[in-house]
Amino acid sequence: LEFQIERYLAHQGRKWVNNYDPNSLLWISKAMDGFTMEAPDSHGRPSLKAGLKTAMQPALVIGVQHDVLFPVWQQKEIADTLRAVGNKRVTYYELDSHFGHDSFLLDAVSIGPAVKGHLEQEPLGAKHLWEEVAENAQVILQGVSSVTSLSDQMRSM
């Protein structure tokens, strides 16, 4: 193999051929090609502004330089359009990852902090939910660790 990407593609091909029905890939491809966030505007024409005008929740948009499925210019357009329709809580990150579209799966070092930071924003973030889950887990672990027998542990859960 001459290029690193060839080794990666060969590896992915071997994984996919043994795990997926080839027809599922056709349907996934068709779904991606047909997906749009546009909605008809007042003249009946497809419009990204019309499609995103009600999206006022905090939004994290991540573009990846080498993503050929959802190019970076499209991600930037989505972030800019969200802002243009009045969403004040839009964060846009642009990453330069050689994993391209698979970055969200394979480049946790780059993607993880962006997602974590977005989810922990307050108000309207999820930090309070994570804190509540952590508190509940701590209470459960303390309760289980104070029980001596396995049957007592199972009963307390």
Side-chain angles (χ1 to χ4, degrees), residues 71-86:
V72 98
W73 66 265
Q74 287 180 339
Q75 305 313 307
K76 181 82 168 102
E77 180 182 25
I78 290 168
D80 290 344
T81 303
L82 284 166
R83 289 184 189 110
V85 298

Side-chain angles (χ1 to χ4, degrees), residues 140-151:
I140 291 170
L141 287 173
Q142 286 173 346
V144 169
S145 65
S146 67
V147 176
T148 55
S149 74
L150 180 58
S151 59

